[in-house]
């Protein structure tokens, strides 16, 4: 921070959010199918502080005036401007610093989480109450730029502290009755959700029968996964994750590197494994029945070429 900004700085506040993983139903959720997503504890903090002039954004992708933000962050610009207009502070002297642990383009919901943290931070800075409906409307603006026609599942999970069942914008908090141990592995390749969503749209619009069959099967998987979670039947849940991965291969959003990590996790004893998020690179997840197995699969995936792995458990 420059000295004059430091001296002028009166107060600062932060807004927070976190990443997400999709357990079942990515892509299908865009067509109104149900999906299950889990909050994943990689954090984003947006620090809002007062400076002497303009609106400055500081992040690892870009640091500078809001008006000059690069095209790929245009959604963030639109979202910030809309919030400031709504708060009747369009020309305020602000610095928005984004600290994010979420790698971008890896299917972990980085864009939604950043927007949620920024909107929360701005409302908190101007001491204005923020309800979920208002938050969703502003974050949706950013997500439309980032993904084209988002289902809203990334945003809903970035706002939730429990697993959710998501369908057509309706959100139901899900109960977990036995611990779910996950390994998430980053393939090292960046996916582009907007592109993979458009490709699936083209595939489905060329073949109505394939579309109906694919969506029907993924719907059955999502309902069965919800029931397996409620019963604590993690063996069944694992099988369903494998089935969901096969469906995602069918619609062309997996790739060799992800399939290799998925197969490696299964051979190393995972109950099930699949890609998570938009695909075409990004991350996969594996479900295991113990913390020990989770650590073992994590190091096997690293040896098999994963760029990074994370272990996490959802407790009942
Ligand atoms: C991206 O995290 C999930 C997709 O289903 C897209 C969306 O729901 O907007 C691929």
């Amino acid at each position: 921070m420059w000295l004059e900004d430091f001296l002028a700085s009166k107060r600062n506040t932060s807004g927070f959010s976190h990443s997400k993983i999709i357990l079942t139903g990515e892509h299908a959720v865009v067509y109104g199918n149900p999906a299950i997503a889990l909050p994943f504890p990689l954090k984003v903090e947006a620090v809002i502080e007062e400076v002497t002039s303009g609106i400055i954004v500081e992040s690892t992708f870009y640091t500078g005036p809001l008006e000059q933000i690069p095209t790929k962050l245009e959604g963030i610009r639109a979202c910030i401007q809309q919030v400031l207009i709504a708060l009747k502070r369009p020309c305020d002297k602000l610095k928005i610093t984004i600290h994010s642990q979420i790698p971008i383009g890896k299917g972990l919901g980085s864009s939604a989480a950043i927007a949620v943290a920024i909107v929360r931070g701005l409302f908190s800075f101007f001491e204005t109450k923020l309800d979920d409906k208002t938050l969703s409307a502003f974050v949706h603006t950013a997500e439309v730029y980032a993904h084209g026609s988002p289902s809203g599942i990334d945003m809903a999970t970035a706002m939730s502290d429990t697993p959710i069942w998501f369908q057509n914008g309706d959100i139901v908090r899900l109960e977990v009755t036995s611990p779910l141990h996950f390994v998430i592995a980053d393939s090292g390749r960046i996916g582009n959700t907007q592109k993979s969503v458009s490709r699936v749209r083209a595939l489905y619009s060329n073949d109505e029968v394939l579309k109906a069959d694919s969506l029907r099967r993924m719907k059955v998987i999502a309902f069965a996964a919800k029931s397996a979670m409620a019963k604590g039947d993690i063996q069944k849940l694992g099988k369903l994750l494998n089935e969901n991965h096969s469906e995602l291969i069918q619609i062309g959003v997996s790739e060799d590197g992800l399939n290799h990590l998925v197969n490696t996790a299964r051979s190393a004893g995972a109950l099930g494994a699949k890609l998570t998020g938009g695909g075409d690179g990004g991350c996969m997840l594996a479900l295991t029945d113990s913390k020990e197995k989770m650590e073992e699969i994590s190091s096997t995936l690293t040896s098999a070429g994963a760029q990074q792995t994370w272990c996490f458990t959802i407790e009942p």
Side-chain angles (χ1 to χ4, degrees):
M1 187 193 281
W2 292 312
L3 183 61
E4 55 176 350
D5 288 345
F6 178 75
L7 293 173
S9 171
K10 286 189 196 141
R11 62 188 200 281
N12 70 55
T13 59
S14 288
F16 296 91
S17 185
H18 52 257
S19 66
K20 66 96 202 349
I21 53 172
I22 296 182
L23 193 61
T24 63
E26 51 274 269
H27 286 284
V29 69
V30 172
Y31 301 87
N33 256 30
I36 299 173
L38 316 173
F40 180 48
L42 296 178
K43 305 279 181 220
V44 181
E45 177 181 12
V47 183
I48 318 292
E49 59 197 310
E50 200 165 329
V51 290
T52 47
S53 64
I55 300 171
I56 308 291
V57 175
E58 184 175 317
S59 71
T60 42
F61 334 107
Y62 167 75
T63 294
L66 182 65
E67 317 83 66
Q68 286 169 31
I69 207 161
T71 320
K72 66 176 181 179
L73 296 179
E74 248 186 309
I76 295 294
R77 179 194 48 72
C79 172
I80 293 171
Q81 284 171 339
Q82 285 189 9
V83 171
L84 293 176
I85 289 168
L87 291 172
K88 303 198 171 36
R89 309 279 186 156
C91 307
D92 254 300
K93 297 162 182 157
L94 294 177
K95 181 167 167 202
I96 301 169
T97 307
I98 300 157
H99 302 286
S100 178
Q101 298 175 333
I102 314 175
I104 53 165
K106 300 298 176 80
L108 300 178
S110 140
S111 58
I114 289 173
V116 169
I118 290 176
V119 178
R120 283 181 172 158
L122 287 169
F123 271 77
S124 153
F125 186 81
F126 292 112
E127 294 166 355
T128 306
K129 238 174 144 288
L130 175 64
D131 56 47
D132 281 355
K133 202 169 151 225
T134 311
L135 173 59
S136 304
F138 288 122
V139 175
H140 182 72
T141 300
E143 284 292 272
V144 168
Y145 279 90
H147 293 314
S149 52
S151 65
I153 193 169
D154 290 13
M155 161 172 93
T157 322
M159 290 165 55
S160 175
D161 50 11
T162 64
I164 59 165
W165 173 260
F166 181 95
Q167 187 169 22
N168 278 326
D170 292 335
I171 299 154
V172 179
R173 291 161 79 98
L174 288 183
E175 297 291 326
V176 174
T177 53
S178 63
L180 300 176
H181 303 288
F182 291 102
V183 183
I184 313 298
D186 179 352
S187 66
R189 282 170 303 286
I190 292 188
N192 181 324
T193 301
Q194 192 159 4
K195 279 195 185 149
S196 66
V197 167
S198 319
R199 238 179 30 248
V200 173
R201 192 176 299 285
L203 177 81
Y204 278 169
S205 59
N206 283 336
D207 192 336
E208 285 298 323
V209 177
L210 177 141
K211 176 180 177 182
D213 286 349
S214 158
L215 291 177
R216 181 183 42 74
R217 285 194 300 266
M218 286 199 265
K219 189 172 189 173
V220 171
I221 292 170
F223 273 98
K226 182 176 162 197
S227 146
M229 272 171 82
K231 289 184 194 140
D233 188 347
I234 55 169
Q235 306 282 338
K236 170 87 181 169
L237 185 58
K239 289 201 180 94
L240 293 162
L241 300 184
N242 289 341
E243 283 177 31
N244 198 164
H245 187 69
S246 304
E247 293 299 330
L248 293 165
I249 292 177
Q250 294 272 325
I251 59 172
V253 296
S254 194
E255 40 96 84
D256 289 351
L258 279 169
N259 295 339
H260 169 60
L261 293 178
V262 163
N263 291 332
T264 303
R266 289 175 187 164
S267 310
L271 301 174
K274 65 181 276 292
L275 72 82
T276 183
D280 282 357
C283 289
M284 53 76 67
L285 64 83
L287 174 69
T288 74
D289 54 4
S290 69
K291 285 207 158 125
E292 295 70 36
K293 199 80 204 160
M294 181 171 76
E295 299 294 342
E296 200 181 305
I297 291 175
S298 165
S299 52
T300 308
L301 286 170
T302 305
S303 309
Q307 190 180 63
Q308 196 174 358
T309 62
W310 300 268
C311 292
F312 94 113
T313 298
I314 297 201
E315 300 288 354

